[in-house]
């Protein structure tokens, strides 16, 4: 069935049907209207999968998809337009252009933690660029996967966009198809599998992966604001956010002050009992619940630490005096546990960060311009923020993506369109002139003339 569907998409793409801007614009408008129409269903599904509220479904999922669609509708004709560039002397008389071509048939594989944003987010630029699309949501958020299937099959012909539900086995079958573009969001482990598959087809690949994203706080930072923004970025989605600050490194002399402010902020936003807060989501499944609980060392808990397996609930938890050798520092946490490490001297930070290569995000709270510039120059990371967490994600003018272990390629706004299309360089030549020196027989005069023109 997958092969038949794949062939029908290839045929549809080859017919040229997706290439006109009018077709793409209409598809995006249809998508927008269908999402709006079905917001209640989308809310119910995400609540049933991991207790995410309607407010957060809008603020962290649907609003970003709506902005992507609006931005694409507004800018598509500029993004897709052929661009004139300078022509060199060897091509005189002529003119040169860059065209933007869709890849063809694209496969988008999503993660479960933002089940709409991480599937529809890349779907928008894939459609805008003129591709046909197979969309594979994560099986770990089954209600969201089902509702995406329902809505998208009402909007699109399967020849254009189709949702395939299923687990790793289904994904493996998908990966055997010769897609022209592979776009994957998930773990580095599966990212390697996807990249291997893409290499079999010599296809373009974008990987949006994870990692341990550090959050550095210097003694001269605005600590109250740092605590506020760290708590928001860390405990949003109960820490199940790829760009959540994974751990904090703070200068020793303000450690206690920062910890106290963080604790106060947790109490302020989630109350005494976070399980009663509408803004606090559950862990996605038992396996992740057990994994995250296993990372908590109760002797190092500063605040939180309680968990309820029945409800898949883990309290917002902060650990202090954490060392690099602790379990919590061995893997991406992807849950509501915040380890805090302290350093005597801010220069130690560089070595500490290097223990986890290529973080997806980095956050720095400081008022020192010099230190900020040092960190930004010397540390490779996907993207990040100075004096904030997570918010770089919502600026569509910034490319979003990782580097090395945290991914390759980027998307959002125009970067998304670029991600799902390729540049095709073409020179238009006039026919009234042709340099004789291009042609044999070659002689020393032609060589001299060529060197004169080139050098
Ligand atoms: P995952 O890698 O387990 O799964 C992602 C997708 O891969 C799912 O659709 C799943 O069905 C499929 N898959 C799983 N095992 C497979 C296999 N053996 N072969 C083929 N396909 C397989 O990731 P996850 O648990 O859904 O998400 C968590 C990870 O994703 C974290 O590392 C997180 O940091 C990362 N993430 C990154 C971003 C980003 O934008 N960079 C966003 C969200 C999550």
């Amino acid at each position: 069935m997958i092969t038949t569907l794949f062939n029908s998409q290839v045929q549809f793409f080859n017919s040229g049907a997706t290439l006109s801007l009018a077709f793409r614009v209409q598809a995006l408008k249809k998508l927008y209207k269908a999402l709006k129409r079905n917001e209640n269903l989308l809310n119910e599904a995400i609540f049933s999968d991991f207790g995410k509220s309607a407010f957060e479904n809008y603020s962290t999922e649907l609003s970003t998809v709506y902005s992507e669609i609006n931005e694409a509708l507004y800018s598509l004709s500029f993004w897709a337009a052929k661009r004139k560039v300078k022509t060199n002397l060897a091509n005189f008389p002529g003119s040169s252009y860059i065209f933007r071509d869709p890849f063809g048939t694209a496969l988008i594989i999503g993660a479960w933690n933002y089940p709409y944003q991480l599937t529809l987010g890349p779907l928008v630029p894939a459609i805008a660029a003129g591709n046909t699309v197979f969309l594979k949501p994560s099986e770990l958020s089954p209600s969201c996967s089902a509702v995406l299937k329902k809505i998208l099959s009402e909007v699109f012909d399967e020849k254009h966009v189709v949702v395939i539900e299923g687990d790793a086995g289904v994904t493996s079958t998908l990966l055997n198809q010769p897609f022209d573009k592979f776009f994957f969001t998930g773990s580095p482990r599966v990212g390697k599998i996807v990249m291997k598959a893409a290499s079999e087809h010599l296809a373009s690949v974008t990987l949006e992966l994870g990692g341990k994203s550090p959050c550095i706080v210097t003694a001269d930072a605005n600590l109250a604001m740092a605590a506020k923004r760290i708590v928001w970025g860390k405990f949003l989605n109960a820490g199940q956010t790829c760009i959540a600050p994974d751990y904090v490194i703070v200068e020793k002399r303000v450690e206690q002050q920062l910890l106290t402010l963080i604790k106060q902020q947790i109490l302020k936003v989630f109350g005494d009992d976070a399980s009663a807060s509408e803004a606090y989501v559950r862990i996605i499944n038992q396996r992740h619940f057990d994994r995250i609980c296993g990372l908590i060392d109760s002797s190092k808990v500063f605040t939180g630490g309680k968990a309820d397996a029945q409800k898949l609930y883990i309290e917002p938890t902060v650990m202090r005096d954490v060392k690099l050798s602790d379990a919590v520092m061995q893997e991406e946490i992807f849950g509501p546990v915040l380890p805090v490490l302290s350093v005597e001297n801010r220069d130690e930070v560089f070595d500490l960060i290097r223990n986890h290569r290529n973080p997806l995000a980095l956050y720095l709270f400081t008022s020192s311009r010099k230190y900020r510039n040092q960190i930004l120059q010397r540390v490779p990371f996907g993207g990040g923020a100075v004096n904030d967490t997570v918010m770089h994600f919502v600026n569509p003018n910034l490319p979003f993506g990782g580097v090395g272990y945290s991914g390759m390629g980027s998307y959002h706004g125009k970067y998304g369109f670029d991600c799902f299309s390729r540049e095709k360089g073409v020179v238009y030549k006039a026919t009234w002139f042709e340099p004789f020196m291009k042609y044999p027989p070659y002689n020393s005069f032609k060589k001299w003339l060529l060197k004169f023109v080139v050098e």
Side-chain angles (χ1 to χ4, degrees):
M1 177 235 184
I2 284 180
T3 310
T4 313
L5 273 172
F6 179 82
N7 290 336
S8 76
Q9 285 211 353
V10 171
Q11 231 174 18
F12 187 61
F13 179 78
N14 288 342
S15 74
T18 63
L19 298 182
S20 82
L21 289 192
F23 176 86
R24 304 185 214 175
V25 164
Q26 199 203 10
L28 291 174
K29 285 186 174 163
K30 275 197 304 187
L31 176 61
Y32 190 95
K33 282 192 191 140
L35 294 175
K36 280 272 168 212
R37 225 177 21 245
N38 288 289
E39 255 184 28
N40 283 342
L41 278 184
L42 291 158
N43 287 342
E44 284 163 19
I46 204 162
F47 187 79
S48 120
D49 278 339
F50 54 112
K52 190 155 168 164
S53 68
F55 180 87
E56 277 195 35
N57 188 35
Y58 187 81
S59 66
T60 67
E61 303 258 2
L62 300 180
S63 65
T64 64
V65 179
Y66 294 143
S67 335
E68 281 285 328
I69 297 177
N70 286 335
E71 171 85 11
L73 287 173
Y74 180 75
S75 306
L76 186 56
S77 55
F78 306 109
W79 296 344
K82 84 174 189 237
R83 192 155 51 88
K84 191 167 186 192
V85 292
K86 276 203 282 192
T87 299
N88 61 345
L89 195 56
N91 274 305
F92 175 81
S95 47
S96 305
Y97 298 91
I98 298 173
F99 290 78
R100 271 278 165 194
D101 279 5
F103 281 106
T105 298
L107 171 63
I108 296 172
I109 303 174
W112 57 266
N113 58 327
Y114 288 87
Y116 302 138
Q117 190 209 106
L118 299 175
T119 47
L120 300 171
L123 176 66
V124 170
I127 293 173
N131 298 277
T132 60
V133 183
F134 270 62
L135 190 68
K136 158 61 185 80
S138 171
E139 70 281 17
L140 298 194
S141 41
S143 310
C144 296
S145 171
V147 82
L148 282 172
K149 170 98 190 163
K150 179 187 166 342
I151 295 172
L152 295 186
S153 57
E154 282 166 14
V155 177
F156 296 109
D157 192 313
E158 288 186 336
K159 292 184 299 204
H160 185 205
V161 175
V162 66
V163 176
I164 304 287
E165 292 188 272
D167 58 10
V170 174
T171 318
S172 302
T173 314
L174 285 171
L175 292 177
N176 286 331
Q177 308 301 314
F179 284 98
D180 303 293
K181 173 81 197 182
F182 290 77
F183 185 102
F184 172 78
T185 304
S187 61
R189 179 183 70 82
V190 182
K192 288 181 194 173
I193 298 174
V194 173
M195 193 158 173
K196 260 191 205 136
S199 76
E200 279 303 314
H201 312 302
L202 294 177
S204 164
V205 57
T206 299
L207 300 177
E208 296 284 339
L209 311 176
K212 282 187 95 61
S213 301
C215 176
I216 305 151
V217 183
T218 62
D220 56 12
N222 177 336
L223 296 180
M225 189 57 85
K228 222 176 190 178
R229 292 175 175 171
I230 290 170
V231 167
W232 180 78
K234 178 69 189 188
F235 298 108
L236 180 75
N237 225 34
Q240 303 167 111
T241 302
C242 57
I243 48 170
D246 186 275
Y247 60 101
V248 166
I249 306 175
V250 60
E251 276 190 273
K252 186 90 192 149
R253 59 200 158 108
V254 294
E255 181 190 17
Q256 186 56 47
Q257 200 183 339
L258 181 70
L259 283 165
T260 308
L261 287 164
I262 286 178
K263 186 174 175 175
Q264 285 168 356
Q265 182 64 16
I266 291 173
L267 276 172
K268 186 171 170 194
V269 291
F270 299 120
D272 287 341
D273 175 12
S275 72
S277 163
E278 209 203 30
Y280 195 68
V281 312
R282 297 297 174 262
I283 305 304
I284 189 70
N285 61 19
Q286 188 69 41
R287 182 171 64 84
H288 279 286
F289 176 86
D290 293 341
R291 181 186 62 76
I292 299 163
C293 288
L295 301 178
I296 302 174
D297 173 348
S298 54
S299 71
K300 295 195 172 184
V301 168
F302 174 73
T303 182
K306 287 199 218 85
D308 181 343
Q310 289 285 304
K311 295 183 181 155
L312 295 177
Y313 162 75
I314 301 177
E315 203 180 2
T317 299
V318 180
M319 288 166 61
R320 69 177 306 173
D321 298 326
V322 175
K323 301 281 171 265
L324 274 181
S325 53
D326 290 340
V328 76
M329 291 305 290
Q330 306 311 307
E331 60 180 76
E332 180 183 2
I333 298 167
F334 220 57
V337 179
L338 181 66
V340 176
L341 290 77
S342 62
V343 288
E344 295 291 346
N345 177 330
R346 60 175 74 167
D347 289 337
E348 291 171 45
V349 165
F350 294 95
D351 284 340
L352 264 183
I353 296 177
R354 274 193 208 102
N355 283 283
H356 303 105
R357 56 181 172 164
N358 305 334
L360 179 59
L362 180 145
Y363 306 112
L364 170 64
F365 288 87
T366 189
S367 59
S368 160
R369 191 179 284 220
K370 184 168 164 224
Y371 189 62
R372 177 194 73 190
N373 293 344
Q374 278 176 352
I375 290 281
L376 296 183
Q377 268 169 12
R378 289 175 53 189
V379 184
F381 58 94
V386 176
N387 293 321
D388 207 347
T389 64
V390 177
M391 291 305 289
H392 62 298
F393 184 89
V394 299
N395 181 353
N397 302 308
L398 292 174
F400 178 75
V403 49
Y405 246 69
S406 56
M408 60 186 62
S410 57
Y411 72 127
H412 286 187
K414 161 113 172 31
Y415 301 98
F417 181 85
D418 292 350
C419 171
F420 282 96
S421 61
R422 60 168 296 274
E423 291 180 320
K424 184 165 81 181
V426 178
V427 62
Y428 290 4
K429 294 296 282 278
T431 53
W432 55 264
F433 173 77
E434 180 70 337
F436 68 94
M437 65 193 178
K438 230 168 101 177
Y439 298 93
Y442 301 123
N443 57 34
S444 52
F445 173 67
K446 285 183 181 176
K447 186 174 176 193
W448 174 85
L449 194 57
L450 181 63
K451 284 184 89 172
F452 180 77
V453 171
V454 172
E455 292 173 17

Short mmCIF file of all heavy atoms in Angstrom, two decimals, residues 88-113:
data_model
loop_
_atom_site.label_atom_id
_atom_site.label_comp_id
_atom_site.label_asym_id
_atom_site.label_seq_id
_atom_site.Cartn_x
_atom_site.Cartn_y
_atom_site.Cartn_z
N ASN A 88 29.29 36.28 -15.36
CA ASN A 88 30.73 36.53 -15.52
C ASN A 88 31.09 36.72 -16.99
O ASN A 88 30.30 36.46 -17.90
CB ASN A 88 31.54 35.39 -14.88
CG ASN A 88 31.22 34.07 -15.54
OD1 ASN A 88 30.23 33.95 -16.27
ND2 ASN A 88 32.06 33.08 -15.33
N LEU A 89 32.33 37.16 -17.20
CA LEU A 89 32.76 37.51 -18.55
C LEU A 89 32.73 36.28 -19.49
O LEU A 89 32.39 36.40 -20.67
CB LEU A 89 34.20 38.07 -18.47
CG LEU A 89 34.69 38.82 -19.70
CD1 LEU A 89 33.74 39.97 -20.06
CD2 LEU A 89 36.10 39.35 -19.46
N ALA A 90 33.07 35.11 -18.96
CA ALA A 90 33.12 33.91 -19.80
C ALA A 90 31.74 33.59 -20.38
O ALA A 90 31.64 32.86 -21.35
CB ALA A 90 33.62 32.73 -18.98
N ASN A 91 30.71 34.13 -19.78
CA ASN A 91 29.36 33.85 -20.27
C ASN A 91 28.77 35.03 -21.02
O ASN A 91 27.56 35.08 -21.26
CB ASN A 91 28.44 33.46 -19.10
CG ASN A 91 28.53 31.99 -18.81
OD1 ASN A 91 28.32 31.17 -19.70
ND2 ASN A 91 28.88 31.65 -17.59
N PHE A 92 29.61 35.96 -21.40
CA PHE A 92 29.14 37.12 -22.17
C PHE A 92 28.83 36.67 -23.60
O PHE A 92 29.61 35.90 -24.17
CB PHE A 92 30.22 38.19 -22.20
CG PHE A 92 29.85 39.36 -23.06
CD1 PHE A 92 29.03 40.36 -22.59
CD2 PHE A 92 30.31 39.43 -24.39
CE1 PHE A 92 28.69 41.43 -23.40
CE2 PHE A 92 29.97 40.50 -25.20
CZ PHE A 92 29.15 41.50 -24.70
N PRO A 93 27.76 37.04 -24.18
CA PRO A 93 26.64 37.82 -23.68
C PRO A 93 25.58 36.88 -23.11
O PRO A 93 25.14 35.97 -23.79
CB PRO A 93 26.14 38.51 -24.93
CG PRO A 93 26.48 37.57 -26.05
CD PRO A 93 27.66 36.77 -25.64
N GLY A 94 25.22 37.13 -21.89
CA GLY A 94 24.22 36.25 -21.28
C GLY A 94 23.69 36.84 -19.99
O GLY A 94 24.12 37.91 -19.55
N SER A 95 22.76 36.14 -19.38
CA SER A 95 22.27 36.53 -18.06
C SER A 95 22.07 35.26 -17.24
O SER A 95 21.91 34.18 -17.80
CB SER A 95 20.97 37.33 -18.16
OG SER A 95 20.08 36.67 -19.03
N SER A 96 22.11 35.42 -15.91
CA SER A 96 22.10 34.23 -15.05
C SER A 96 21.00 34.33 -14.00
O SER A 96 20.77 35.40 -13.43
CB SER A 96 23.45 34.10 -14.34
OG SER A 96 24.47 34.08 -15.30
N TYR A 97 20.39 33.18 -13.71
CA TYR A 97 19.25 33.15 -12.80
C TYR A 97 19.33 31.96 -11.85
O TYR A 97 19.87 30.92 -12.19
CB TYR A 97 17.94 33.04 -13.59
CG TYR A 97 17.72 34.21 -14.49
CD1 TYR A 97 18.19 34.17 -15.80
CD2 TYR A 97 17.10 35.37 -14.03
CE1 TYR A 97 18.03 35.25 -16.64
CE2 TYR A 97 16.93 36.46 -14.86
CZ TYR A 97 17.40 36.40 -16.17
OH TYR A 97 17.25 37.48 -16.98
N ILE A 98 18.76 32.16 -10.67
CA ILE A 98 18.60 31.04 -9.75
C ILE A 98 17.11 30.75 -9.62
O ILE A 98 16.32 31.64 -9.27
CB ILE A 98 19.20 31.37 -8.36
CG1 ILE A 98 20.70 31.63 -8.50
CG2 ILE A 98 18.95 30.23 -7.39
CD1 ILE A 98 21.35 32.12 -7.24
N PHE A 99 16.77 29.50 -9.91
CA PHE A 99 15.38 29.05 -9.75
C PHE A 99 15.27 28.28 -8.44
O PHE A 99 16.25 27.70 -7.97
CB PHE A 99 15.00 28.11 -10.90
CG PHE A 99 14.87 28.82 -12.23
CD1 PHE A 99 16.01 29.17 -12.96
CD2 PHE A 99 13.63 29.13 -12.74
CE1 PHE A 99 15.90 29.83 -14.16
CE2 PHE A 99 13.52 29.79 -13.95
CZ PHE A 99 14.66 30.15 -14.66
N ARG A 100 14.08 28.22 -7.90
CA ARG A 100 13.83 27.44 -6.69
C ARG A 100 12.94 26.26 -7.06
O ARG A 100 11.77 26.45 -7.41
CB ARG A 100 13.10 28.30 -5.65
CG ARG A 100 14.03 29.06 -4.76
CD ARG A 100 14.51 28.15 -3.64
NE ARG A 100 15.67 28.72 -2.97
CZ ARG A 100 16.45 28.04 -2.15
NH1 ARG A 100 16.25 26.75 -1.93
NH2 ARG A 100 17.46 28.62 -1.57
N ASP A 101 13.50 25.07 -7.01
CA ASP A 101 12.73 23.87 -7.38
C ASP A 101 12.35 23.07 -6.13
O ASP A 101 13.20 22.88 -5.25
CB ASP A 101 13.60 22.94 -8.24
CG ASP A 101 13.63 23.39 -9.69
OD1 ASP A 101 13.06 24.45 -9.99
OD2 ASP A 101 14.22 22.66 -10.51
N PRO A 102 11.13 22.54 -6.10
CA PRO A 102 10.81 21.58 -5.03
C PRO A 102 11.66 20.33 -5.23
O PRO A 102 12.09 20.06 -6.35
CB PRO A 102 9.33 21.26 -5.24
CG PRO A 102 9.04 21.65 -6.65
CD PRO A 102 10.02 22.72 -7.05
N PHE A 103 11.85 19.56 -4.16
CA PHE A 103 12.62 18.32 -4.33
C PHE A 103 11.80 17.26 -5.05
O PHE A 103 12.32 16.51 -5.86
CB PHE A 103 13.03 17.77 -2.95
CG PHE A 103 14.21 18.50 -2.39
CD1 PHE A 103 14.07 19.40 -1.35
CD2 PHE A 103 15.48 18.27 -2.90
CE1 PHE A 103 15.17 20.08 -0.84
CE2 PHE A 103 16.58 18.94 -2.39
CZ PHE A 103 16.42 19.85 -1.36
N GLY A 104 10.50 17.19 -4.75
CA GLY A 104 9.67 16.15 -5.35
C GLY A 104 8.76 15.58 -4.28
O GLY A 104 7.88 16.27 -3.77
N THR A 105 9.04 14.35 -3.90
CA THR A 105 8.22 13.71 -2.88
C THR A 105 8.99 13.69 -1.56
O THR A 105 10.12 13.20 -1.51
CB THR A 105 7.83 12.29 -3.33
OG1 THR A 105 7.05 12.43 -4.53
CG2 THR A 105 6.99 11.57 -2.31
N ALA A 106 8.38 14.26 -0.52
CA ALA A 106 9.09 14.43 0.76
C ALA A 106 8.48 13.55 1.84
O ALA A 106 7.27 13.32 1.86
CB ALA A 106 9.01 15.89 1.19
N LEU A 107 9.35 13.06 2.73
CA LEU A 107 8.88 12.31 3.90
C LEU A 107 9.18 13.15 5.15
O LEU A 107 10.33 13.55 5.37
CB LEU A 107 9.63 10.97 3.99
CG LEU A 107 9.41 10.17 5.28
CD1 LEU A 107 7.95 9.75 5.43
CD2 LEU A 107 10.29 8.92 5.31
N ILE A 108 8.13 13.41 5.93
CA ILE A 108 8.31 14.15 7.19
C ILE A 108 7.98 13.20 8.34
O ILE A 108 6.87 12.66 8.41
CB ILE A 108 7.38 15.38 7.24
CG1 ILE A 108 7.76 16.38 6.13
CG2 ILE A 108 7.43 16.05 8.61
CD1 ILE A 108 6.77 17.52 5.97
N ILE A 109 8.95 12.98 9.21
CA ILE A 109 8.73 12.11 10.38
C ILE A 109 8.77 12.99 11.62
O ILE A 109 9.75 13.70 11.85
CB ILE A 109 9.84 11.03 10.48
CG1 ILE A 109 9.89 10.20 9.19
CG2 ILE A 109 9.59 10.12 11.69
CD1 ILE A 109 11.05 9.21 9.16
N GLY A 110 7.69 12.94 12.42
CA GLY A 110 7.61 13.85 13.56
C GLY A 110 7.88 13.16 14.89
O GLY A 110 7.83 11.93 14.99
N ALA A 111 8.16 13.97 15.90
CA ALA A 111 8.31 13.46 17.28
C ALA A 111 6.99 13.71 18.01
O ALA A 111 6.13 14.44 17.53
CB ALA A 111 9.45 14.17 17.98
N TRP A 112 6.85 13.11 19.19
CA TRP A 112 5.56 13.16 19.88
C TRP A 112 5.41 14.38 20.78
O TRP A 112 4.30 14.73 21.17
CB TRP A 112 5.39 11.91 20.77
CG TRP A 112 6.52 11.76 21.75
CD1 TRP A 112 7.65 11.03 21.58
CD2 TRP A 112 6.64 12.39 23.04
NE1 TRP A 112 8.48 11.16 22.67
CE2 TRP A 112 7.88 11.99 23.58
CE3 TRP A 112 5.83 13.25 23.78
CZ2 TRP A 112 8.33 12.43 24.83
CZ3 TRP A 112 6.28 13.69 25.01
CH2 TRP A 112 7.51 13.27 25.53
N ASN A 113 6.52 15.04 21.14
CA ASN A 113 6.43 16.00 22.25
C ASN A 113 5.71 17.30 21.89
O ASN A 113 5.14 17.95 22.76
CB ASN A 113 7.81 16.28 22.85
CG ASN A 113 8.78 16.81 21.85
OD1 ASN A 113 8.73 16.45 20.67
ND2 ASN A 113 9.68 17.67 22.27
#
